Amino acid sequence: MRYLLLSLADENTPAPDERLFAEMGAFIQEMSAKGILLATGGLEPGGLRMTSSGEEVTVTDGPFTEAKEVAVGFALVEVRSEDEVLELARRFRRIVGDGVSEIRRVQ
């Protein structure tokens, strides 16, 4: 089963420090060595939003002021169960501290 893990941030989220980079690097290396981690990366907070209505397609530049949180990072993982992805997400949250993550199974 593949899952997309999203890390969300808001204006109160602290900037990463050297400790975070070191711990996250070790975590990423471990998941890569086990073949669990398929892709990971940071996401630019602004981005683009595309909406469609009938034949009309509109593109809007971010950041989006109405958004309270934005996705700032992701990991695509392949695991055997939902329990396994929940444990990975718990380990991630312990490394990065307070905040919100979303977990979505890839269909």
Side-chain angles (χ1 to χ4, degrees):
M1 292 183 280
R2 290 185 176 185
Y3 287 89
L4 181 65
L5 290 78
L6 294 169
S7 179
L8 306 180
D10 63 21
E11 68 276 355
N12 298 318
T13 302
D17 59 14
E18 290 302 316
R19 178 205 59 84
L20 175 65
F21 284 125
E23 289 185 30
M24 190 56 64
F27 185 53
I28 288 170
Q29 189 173 32
E30 176 191 337
M31 289 195 313
S32 296
K34 290 180 178 180
I36 294 170
L37 184 64
L38 303 177
T40 187
L43 300 171
E44 181 241 335
L48 301 169
R49 177 177 291 157
M50 182 177 284
T51 56
S52 60
S53 178
E55 295 294 316
E56 186 176 339
V57 176
T58 305
V59 178
T60 308
D61 292 331
F64 307 104
T65 56
E66 69 277 7
K68 292 184 176 38
E69 299 170 325
V70 295
V72 294
F74 76 95
L76 180 63
V77 299
E78 188 162 22
V79 295
R80 293 179 299 271
S81 67
E82 185 176 288
D83 288 340
E84 189 174 354
V85 77
L86 288 172
E87 182 53 34
L88 288 175
R90 282 186 188 96
R91 289 182 61 197
F92 172 80
R93 292 291 351 149
R94 285 193 292 270
I95 293 169
V96 299
D98 295 345
V100 176
S101 293
E102 290 186 9
I103 303 166
R104 300 195 188 170
R105 185 168 178 191
V106 177
Q107 301 272 321

